[in-house]
């Protein structure tokens, strides 16, 4: 996990909670709005830590850049005097609200408790990782001694041949997770360690812990499984994606593009690197494919909101 | 461009077959409503100042008629799976609600021009907001995904927030809008948090797969693990719906908003918003949260039990507080809370066991009867509005029944229907709801449930008091003010009231057609789990068997379940 | 290694800010601040969605929070228009004073 990620997480988390509290507690809405902007920046930082890069950018552009500016504009336009804000006076319902909100928080957290990482499993992972590294060291010693032996061979062509064969068996660090802990598609992971600790008890497919590399590898593996030509290897239907929606039609898979590209009548298309988790490409692809209906509905919603805002706020029609 | 994208190595695109031509039919009703909305505003820009906007009402009404016709045309070409990659359904259940929402919207809009002209707020935007809201309700009834439910809910609500504050010169309208908006946004936030938890547990937002995955989690995981998140999620999502249908713990906004909003708008927002929210609620409950563990049923503590108490509280509170009101709009607001209680009673009955699913047809029928009665009642109030004033209190309408015989007659029909007095739709609706409740109560042998049915009958008898008080005021009291100018006497409002009354009477005298439609709507309810689908395949036959079994075993049941005003 | 952020840490953080938002809605009487607290709740929801999205290796949560942002923008426009409208009538944005409807 490293040093920086926990550090930034705690900076952002403490910042987010503090500035949220400030939004609620500050009497003047202007300061509340400024703290809310700060809060949104902390949230954007958390999104980056969660590999949601595009959402982090959108958070700043849309929330901080558009919505909060609107808020500030309205606050300035109304230009509330200090005496119009009302004195703060403690009332009974403040205490009642505080107690009930604390109760709500307790209920939510008790519901979330099973998602806690189990330290025992983490210990197993660490243990397995240490064992794997020890095994790797032993293998590497054997490998280098074998290599010195082979380098002594006189016949040049045979030596090159043998060395190439040996090179193919160069030892690598294997996945260091206990059995049953592997995420979906983890069988395809080899050297890259996937620091994924098993799914939450009773909630299949929800991991308790995951690092950036593991996330990306899992995502690529999952995307490959979605397009697998073999229907039995395709994704678990109960995961709710892509199965039922047109079972009668065969899935059309575009030809894979190899290194030199694919020549069509419109020109040569070169393969790009498959997009990573949380980037613009998969999001936009989803947006114009599976989620095209909500997308269009949002367009209607925005139009309705524009007309509604005009009819309410315009001074003279 | 698309072709190039499909080649670029990112494999997701190739996976999704584009929707076939037949799937686009699922968009037709909602899209027509949205297009009519835009057309109305476009036409309005060429409006000559100083003239009335009756033609906009007629355009919208015709457009809504086209929506109803399109539902009728699509009735037999439904699709038995979600379309657009699991975002929408095209089934008779959704089409029923689409037609209902469109009819209510069109009828409410016909009452608008005269009323708004008298209030000097005759603007084309009113029609557009209502039509957008109708389109949101239609998409909400067809939603197959939590995301579509949420977006359509907002598409339905945001224009209604604006409608509440539409009377710009009236400070009460502003307050109503603020109250409605703040509480609505708050409940949307709660609902979203519930959706997030559900997504976390199931990993999908598709309703059907949520159902499958929740069952799997509940089966495999011990109760103490993922279950807390599921329960919290279900409760939060339910609270969001309860706000929109104005069921009791979430009803606080209702009377204030109804009083502050223009009458035709209230007629709209108390029917279409409610119908859309009920449709989406039925979808979410019976498709996504159908697991017996979540369902509970009579103190097994699931959503059935939560709705059970909501229903009882709504009926009691709505009816008792309505008696104390002096303002007719407030009275109708509380009575709409009571009506939500009756509808929830039907849902509780149908949800008690998976095999009772088909009892939901009573809910559909009740919503239809409630819709026409309520749009009509608010229509009469707006019809009687004069220059610069509105008709709101019992004093205002005193004696008007004789002065305006047409309005008096119409009000009589609508009040009879709301009270559930025989030759009207309200009677048949209540009869079917109570009958379903008693059937289920007898079959399950739950005393609490029979008690709830009896409570429903008693409260509806109490409700008759304040509905009939309106008629007593209209016919038997002296007019309080003579100096008023003539009532609007608008042709379009007359047309709307006439249609509402005709439908109310038709549903009361010849309920067979509408019952058949609502039964078909429930039988063709896509996405319910296999156990229910077995029952569904048998269709009406199965329902008849259940009902016959109930008839046979009903002998010990109390005979007083027929509501009499 | 208690300090390493995991699923539980992110979810608890989101729950905490959500509850702060709910507290603000219950306690504050200034409509603008109240509305800001609702925005805070929506942000916590977004954080929950994005957290689940990462720990499920699934992009749907990102899409959902994207739409939540779009809807929040629309709501902000309408909500602020309503607040402006109320202010013109009452010269105050205090929700306690919105009491003309209590008959």
């Amino acid at each position: 996990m490293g040093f920086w990620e926990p550090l930034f997480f705690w900076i952002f988390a403490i910042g987010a909670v503090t500035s949220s509290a400030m939004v609620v507690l500050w009497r003047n809405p202007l300061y509340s709005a400024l703290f809310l902007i700060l809060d949104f920046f902390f949230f954007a930082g958390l999104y980056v830590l969660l590999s949601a890069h595009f959402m982090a950018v959108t958070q700043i552009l849309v929330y901080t850049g558009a919505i909060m500016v609107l808020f500030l504009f309205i606050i300035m336009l109304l230009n509330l005097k200090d005496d119009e804000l009302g004195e703060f006076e403690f009332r009974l319902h403040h205490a009642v609200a505080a107690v009930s909100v604390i109760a709500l928080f307790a209920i939510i957290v008790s519901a979330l408790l099973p998602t806690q990482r189990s330290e025992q499993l983490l210990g197993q992972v660490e243990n397995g990782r240490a064992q794997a590294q020890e095994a790797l060291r032993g293998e590497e010693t054997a490998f280098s001694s074998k290599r010195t032996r082979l380098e002594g061979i006189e016949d040049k062509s045979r030596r090159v041949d043998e060395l190439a064969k040996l090179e193919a068996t160069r030892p690598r660090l294997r996945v260091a997770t206990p059995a049953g802990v592997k995420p979906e598609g983890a069988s395809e992971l080899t050297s890259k360690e996937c620091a994924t600790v098993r799914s939450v008890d009773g909630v299949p497919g929800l991991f308790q812990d995951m690092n950036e590399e593991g996330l990306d590898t899992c995502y690529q593996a999952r995307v490959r499984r979605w397009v697998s030509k073999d229907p039995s290897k395709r994704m678990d239907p109960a995961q709710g994606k892509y199965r039922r929606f047109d079972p009668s039609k065969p899935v059309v898979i575009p030809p894979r593009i190899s290194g030199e590209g694919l020549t069509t009548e419109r020109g040569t298309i070169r393969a790009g690197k498959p997009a990573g988790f949380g980037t613009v490409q998969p999001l936009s692809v989803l947006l114009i494919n599976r989620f095209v209906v909500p997308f269009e509905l949002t367009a209607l919603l925005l139009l309705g909101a524009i007309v509604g805002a005009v009819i309410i706020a315009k001074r003279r029609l | 461009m698309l072709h190039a994208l499909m080649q670029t190595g990112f494999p997701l695109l190739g996976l999704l077959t584009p929707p076939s031509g037949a799937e686009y039919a699922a968009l037709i009703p909602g899209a027509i409503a949205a297009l009519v909305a835009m057309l109305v505003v476009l036409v309005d820009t060429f409006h000559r100042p100083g003239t009335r906007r009756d033609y906009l009402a007629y355009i919208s009404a015709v457009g809504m008629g086209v929506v109803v016709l399109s539902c009728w045309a699509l009735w037999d070409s439904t699709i038995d799976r979600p379309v657009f990659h699991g975002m929408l359904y095209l089934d008779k259940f959704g089409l029923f609600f689409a037609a209902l929402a469109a009819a209510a919207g069109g009828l409410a809009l016909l009452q608008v021009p005269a009323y708004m002209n008298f209030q000097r707020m005759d603007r084309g935007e009113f029609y557009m907001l209502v039509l957008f809201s109708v389109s949101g309700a239609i998409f909400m009834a067809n939603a197959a995904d939590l995301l579509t439910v949420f977006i359509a809910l907002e598409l339905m609500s945001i224009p209604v927030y604006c409608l509440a504050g539409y009377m710009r010169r009236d400070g009460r309208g502003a307050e109503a809008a603020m109250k409605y908006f703040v509480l609505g946004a708050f409940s949307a936030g709660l609902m979203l948090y519930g959706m997030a938890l559900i997504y976390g547990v199931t990993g999908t937002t598709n309703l059907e797969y949520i159902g499958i995955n929740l069952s799997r989690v509940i089966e495999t995981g011990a109760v103490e693990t993922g279950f807390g998140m599921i329960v919290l999620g279900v409760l939060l999502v339910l609270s969001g719906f309860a706000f929109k249908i104005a069921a009791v713990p979430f009803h606080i906004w209702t009377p204030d908003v109804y009083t502050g909003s223009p009458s035709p708008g209230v007629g709209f927002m108390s029917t279409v918003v409610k119908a859309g929210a009920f449709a989406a609620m039925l979808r979410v409950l019976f498709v996504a949260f159908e697991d017996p563990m979540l369902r509970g049923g009579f103190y097994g503590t699931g959503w059935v039990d939560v709705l059970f108490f909501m229903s009882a509280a709504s009926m009691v509170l709505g009816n008792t507080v309505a008696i104390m009101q002096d303002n007719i709009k407030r009275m109708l607001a509380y009575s709409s809370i009571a009506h939500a209680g009756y509808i929830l009673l039907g849902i509780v009955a149908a949800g008690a066991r998976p095999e009772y699913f088909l009892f939901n047809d009573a809910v559909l029928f009740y919503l239809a009867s409630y819709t026409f009665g309520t749009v009509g009642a608010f229509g009469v109030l707006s019809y009687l509005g004069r220059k610069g004033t509105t008709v709101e209190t019992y004093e205002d309408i005193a004696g008007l029944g004789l002065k305006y015989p047409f309005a008096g007659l119409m009000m009589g029909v609508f009040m009879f229907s709301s009270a559930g007095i025989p030759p009207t739709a309200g009677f048949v609706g209540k009869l079917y709801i109570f009958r379903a409740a008693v059937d289920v109560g007898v079959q399950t042998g739950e005393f609490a449930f029979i008690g709830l049915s009896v409570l429903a009958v008693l409260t509806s008898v109490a409700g008759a008091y304040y509905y009939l008080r309106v008629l007593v005021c209209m016919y038997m009291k002296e007019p309080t003010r003579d100096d008023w100018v003539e009532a609007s006497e608008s042709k379009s409002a007359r047309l709307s009231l006439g249609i509402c009354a005709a439908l109310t009477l038709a549903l009361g005298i010849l309920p067979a057609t509408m019952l058949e439609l609502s039964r078909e709507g429930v039988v063709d309810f896509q996405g319910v789990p296999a156990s229910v689908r077995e029952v569904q395949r048998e269709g009406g036959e199965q329902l008849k068997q259940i009902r016959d079994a109930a008839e046979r075993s009903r002998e010990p049941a109390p005979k007083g379940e027929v509501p009499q005003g | 290694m208690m300090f390493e952020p995991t699923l539980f840490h992110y979810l608890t953080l989101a729950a905490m800010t959500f509850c702060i938002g709910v507290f603000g809605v219950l306690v504050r009487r200034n409509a603008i601040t109240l509305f800001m607290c609702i925005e805070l709740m929506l942000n916590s929801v977004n954080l929950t969605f994005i957290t689940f999205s990462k720990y499920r290796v699934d992009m749907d949560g990102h899409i959902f929070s994207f739409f939540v942002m779009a809807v929040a923008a629309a709501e902000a426009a309408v909500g602020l228009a309503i607040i402006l409208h109320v202010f013109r009538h009452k010269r105050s944005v205090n929700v306690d004073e919105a009491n003309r409807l209590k008959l």
Side-chain angles (χ1 to χ4, degrees):
Chain A
M1 193 64 77
F3 171 73
W4 293 107
E5 197 186 330
L7 178 71
F8 276 110
F9 171 77
W10 287 105
I11 292 174
F12 292 146
I14 293 169
V17 171
T18 322
S19 50
S20 309
M22 287 299 160
V23 172
V24 175
L25 298 178
W26 218 273
R27 201 165 62 95
N28 194 327
L30 180 61
Y31 294 114
S32 290
L34 292 175
F35 272 112
L36 195 57
I37 291 175
L38 184 66
D39 203 9
F40 287 162
F41 274 106
F42 286 129
F43 270 102
L46 288 168
Y47 294 168
V48 171
L49 291 184
L50 287 167
S51 309
H53 315 290
F54 179 70
M55 293 318 292
V57 173
T58 320
Q59 167 85 4
I60 291 175
L61 285 184
V62 174
Y63 261 121
T64 319
I67 298 181
M68 287 320 291
V69 169
L70 199 59
F71 269 96
L72 285 177
F73 171 72
I74 292 291
I75 292 168
M76 295 304 183
L77 185 70
L78 298 187
N79 193 18
L80 296 170
K81 307 275 185 316
D82 241 18
D83 53 321
E84 282 171 351
L85 293 172
E87 281 301 308
F88 176 81
E89 45 186 304
F90 183 82
R91 296 202 198 119
L92 185 64
H93 82 257
H94 291 173
V96 174
V99 170
S100 52
V101 163
I102 288 170
L104 176 69
F105 181 64
I107 290 170
I108 296 177
V109 169
S110 65
L112 293 177
L113 272 180
T115 61
Q116 232 177 347
R117 184 177 56 176
S118 82
E119 293 295 323
Q120 191 197 347
L121 254 152
L122 193 72
Q124 280 182 37
V125 173
E126 294 286 337
N127 213 3
R129 190 186 297 165
Q131 278 176 12
Q133 268 165 355
E134 196 154 311
L136 180 72
R137 269 198 292 279
E139 279 175 35
E140 270 175 349
T141 329
F143 178 81
S144 55
S145 69
K146 211 186 239 176
R147 193 185 162 94
T148 349
R149 208 175 61 233
L150 285 180
E151 272 171 354
I153 295 174
E154 308 253 318
D155 185 357
K156 192 187 171 194
S157 62
R158 190 167 154 248
R159 189 177 65 206
V160 171
D161 213 27
E162 291 284 331
L163 273 177
K165 266 188 205 162
L166 185 70
E167 200 58 30
T169 62
R170 176 183 276 279
R172 293 192 165 93
L173 185 67
R174 294 200 177 75
V175 181
T177 47
V181 176
K182 285 178 191 170
E184 203 174 331
S187 58
E188 303 186 26
L189 310 178
T190 49
S191 61
K192 280 181 189 169
E193 184 218 357
C194 179
T196 304
V197 182
R198 66 156 185 186
S199 55
V200 176
D201 280 345
V203 185
L206 182 61
F207 303 123
Q208 291 169 332
D209 192 1
M210 176 169 272
N211 67 7
E212 184 92 2
E213 245 176 32
L215 177 71
D216 211 42
T217 328
C218 285
Y219 185 64
Q220 298 301 336
R222 177 172 286 211
V223 166
R224 275 197 293 282
R225 280 193 68 185
W226 280 336
V227 289
S228 170
K229 274 180 186 158
D230 183 3
S232 63
K233 275 191 192 156
R234 244 178 256 154
M235 237 177 89
D236 182 4
Q239 284 297 318
K241 313 277 181 342
Y242 313 117
R243 188 175 147 273
R244 196 181 157 189
F245 307 136
D246 202 349
S248 59
K249 279 197 175 174
V251 172
V252 183
I253 300 172
R256 272 297 166 85
I257 303 167
S258 50
E260 61 270 17
L262 187 83
T263 312
T264 63
E265 55 206 8
R266 301 180 199 185
T268 310
I269 303 161
R270 302 202 181 281
K273 186 176 175 288
F277 182 83
T279 53
V280 177
Q281 194 186 0
L283 207 116
S284 58
V285 166
L286 283 175
L287 214 53
I288 58 166
N289 269 270
R290 280 183 54 215
F291 294 95
V292 71
V293 171
F295 192 64
E296 298 299 331
L297 288 185
T298 313
L300 287 183
L301 172 72
L302 291 173
L303 184 55
I306 291 169
V307 175
V310 166
I311 196 89
I312 283 191
K314 200 159 178 292
R315 200 178 282 270
R316 189 179 299 125
L317 287 168
Chain B
M1 177 60 201
L2 192 66
H3 183 74
L5 252 178
M6 285 183 72
Q7 304 285 338
T8 47
F10 186 76
L12 265 184
L13 265 178
L15 205 131
L16 297 174
T17 46
S20 64
E23 294 189 6
Y24 283 93
L27 294 177
I28 288 177
I32 293 177
L35 285 176
V36 173
M38 295 176 211
L39 176 75
V40 161
V41 167
L42 208 62
V43 171
D44 185 56
T45 53
F46 298 104
H47 179 75
R48 200 148 39 93
T51 51
R52 272 169 53 159
R53 282 184 170 76
D54 285 358
Y55 61 94
L56 284 186
Y58 288 120
I59 291 177
S60 349
V62 169
M64 292 299 97
V66 173
V67 174
V68 175
L69 280 182
S70 76
C71 294
W72 177 71
L74 291 170
W75 190 254
D76 287 322
S77 51
T78 56
I79 300 177
D80 62 350
R81 59 192 167 78
V83 297
F84 287 104
H85 312 299
M87 286 297 140
L88 290 176
Y89 285 110
L90 176 57
D91 59 359
K92 291 181 184 173
F93 177 80
L95 289 177
F96 182 91
F97 277 99
L100 192 61
L107 290 172
L109 280 182
L110 279 178
Q111 304 157 358
V112 171
Y115 181 85
M116 286 302 166
N117 207 39
F118 275 134
Q119 305 295 325
R120 293 189 297 130
M121 270 307 290
D122 194 15
R123 304 276 316 167
E125 284 84 356
F126 191 94
Y127 305 88
M128 185 195 189
L129 292 174
V130 167
L131 293 173
F132 265 131
S133 189
V134 167
S135 143
I138 292 174
F139 280 116
M140 204 172 163
N142 288 306
D145 192 288
L146 282 185
L147 184 55
T148 326
V149 169
F150 172 64
I151 304 275
L153 181 101
E154 291 293 333
L155 174 58
M156 183 177 77
S157 310
I158 287 185
V160 173
Y161 300 148
C162 302
L163 284 189
Y166 185 79
M167 304 309 287
R168 297 147 44 94
R169 291 180 194 82
D170 191 353
R172 295 186 309 173
E175 280 176 22
M178 186 160 83
K179 219 165 242 181
Y180 198 12
F181 172 77
V182 165
L183 290 173
F186 179 62
S187 78
L190 290 180
M191 188 177 184
L192 271 177
Y193 195 63
M195 287 180 177
L197 290 177
I198 295 288
Y199 167 72
V201 175
T202 60
T204 170
T205 51
N206 184 289
L207 294 184
E208 286 181 38
Y209 286 114
I210 286 176
I212 297 171
N213 287 359
L214 280 184
S215 301
R216 181 183 283 190
V217 169
I218 289 169
E219 273 167 28
T220 57
V223 171
E224 68 268 17
T225 53
F227 202 60
M229 274 195 281
I230 299 174
V231 169
L232 201 60
V234 170
L235 282 180
L236 288 172
V237 170
L238 260 189
S239 70
F241 283 124
F243 177 84
K244 288 292 163 209
I245 62 174
V248 149
F250 304 95
H251 67 286
I252 317 222
W253 58 275
T254 322
D256 295 348
V257 171
Y258 283 16
T259 321
S261 312
S263 294
V266 183
F268 170 78
M269 70 176 77
S270 64
T271 54
V272 171
V273 172
K274 213 168 257 199
F278 264 116
M281 187 173 167
L282 286 173
R283 283 253 200 244
V284 171
L285 291 182
F286 286 98
V287 177
F289 302 154
E290 46 76 33
D291 191 86
M293 189 93 174
L294 295 178
R295 202 185 274 265
F298 308 127
Y299 312 115
T301 327
W303 54 259
V304 171
D305 302 295
V306 175
L307 293 187
F308 181 92
F309 288 109
M310 269 189 197
S311 163
S314 305
M315 289 188 296
V316 172
L317 186 134
N319 277 313
T320 46
V321 182
I323 292 177
M324 300 177 227
Q325 299 303 320
D326 284 330
N327 186 316
I328 297 179
K329 277 165 105 177
R330 274 183 98 79
M331 180 276 276
L332 285 173
Y334 280 107
S335 94
S336 86
I337 295 171
H339 283 296
Y342 298 130
I343 299 170
L344 282 178
L345 172 67
I347 297 179
V348 172
R353 301 273 186 280
E355 61 266 26
Y356 298 154
F357 175 75
L358 291 176
F359 281 124
N360 271 322
D361 63 344
V363 172
L364 266 63
F365 186 89
Y366 194 95
L367 268 169
S369 69
Y370 164 76
T371 297
F372 297 121
T374 309
V375 169
F378 282 104
V380 173
L381 290 188
S382 47
Y383 177 79
L384 291 173
R386 316 307 145 74
K387 191 157 262 167
T389 66
T390 51
V391 170
E392 281 181 12
T393 62
Y394 284 107
E395 279 179 26
D396 287 344
I397 59 161
L400 293 188
L402 296 173
K403 197 169 177 196
Y404 302 107
F406 176 72
L409 188 67
M410 295 292 118
M411 199 61 164
V413 173
F414 301 133
M415 287 297 115
F416 271 44
S417 175
S418 297
I421 293 170
T424 54
F427 169 72
V428 186
K430 278 208 173 69
L431 181 70
Y432 271 88
I433 288 264
F434 296 161
R435 189 177 147 181
V438 169
D439 281 358
V440 170
V442 169
Q443 280 203 353
T444 55
E446 285 292 337
F447 177 74
F449 201 77
I450 297 176
L452 186 63
S453 325
V454 173
L455 181 71
V457 175
L458 291 179
T459 50
S460 72
V461 171
Y465 166 75
Y466 55 79
Y467 290 121
L468 296 183
R469 189 177 158 203
V470 175
L471 297 183
V472 169
C473 271
M474 278 186 101
Y475 283 106
M476 300 180 190
K477 290 243 175 84
E478 287 299 310
T480 47
R481 297 167 64 177
D482 308 323
D483 53 331
W484 286 3
V485 293
E486 290 299 298
S488 57
E489 301 281 353
S490 140
K491 273 198 200 97
S492 59
R494 270 169 184 272
L495 180 66
S496 155
L497 291 181
I499 295 174
C500 282
L503 282 170
T504 307
L505 287 175
L507 293 189
I509 296 164
L510 301 164
T513 318
M514 189 50 108
L515 268 177
E516 190 54 40
L517 289 181
S518 54
R519 184 162 309 161
E520 276 183 42
V522 176
V523 169
D524 190 33
F525 184 124
Q526 294 301 326
V528 288
S531 56
V532 177
R533 216 169 286 140
E534 286 303 312
V535 181
Q536 268 194 55
R537 200 162 295 145
E538 305 293 326
E541 202 50 41
Q542 186 83 16
L543 183 70
K544 197 159 166 289
Q545 284 171 15
I546 294 175
R547 289 230 158 114
D548 288 347
E551 290 288 343
R552 280 196 297 279
S553 60
R554 198 192 295 173
E555 304 311 322
K559 271 292 171 199
E561 71 267 16
V562 180
Q564 291 294 342
Chain C
M1 288 267 105
M2 264 205 60
F3 295 110
E4 288 178 359
T6 61
L7 171 65
F8 180 70
H9 289 85
Y10 282 105
L11 289 182
T12 312
L13 174 63
M16 205 177 276
T17 46
F18 184 81
C19 287
I20 292 174
V22 172
F23 180 71
V25 173
L26 295 179
V27 168
R28 294 306 304 257
R29 286 294 149 253
N30 185 310
I32 300 176
T33 319
L34 209 150
F35 192 25
M36 280 193 260
C37 293
I38 291 174
E39 294 290 336
L40 189 58
M41 284 168 64
L42 292 184
N43 255 276
S44 317
V45 169
N46 279 357
L47 182 59
T48 314
F49 266 118
I50 288 173
T51 306
F52 277 130
S53 210
K54 176 184 172 184
Y55 288 94
R56 284 199 155 273
V57 198
D58 181 49
M59 289 285 288
D60 286 11
H62 290 211
I63 297 277
F64 213 117
S65 55
F66 181 81
F67 280 112
V68 171
M69 278 186 196
V71 169
E75 268 190 355
V78 171
L80 292 173
I82 288 173
I83 288 172
L84 198 63
H85 183 37
V86 171
F87 183 77
R88 286 208 189 116
H89 276 281
K90 306 182 67 74
R91 311 305 301 171
S92 158
V93 291
N94 203 328
V95 286
D96 268 350
E97 288 167 30
N99 51 9
R100 276 180 59 192
L101 283 165
K102 291 273 158 51
L103 294 177

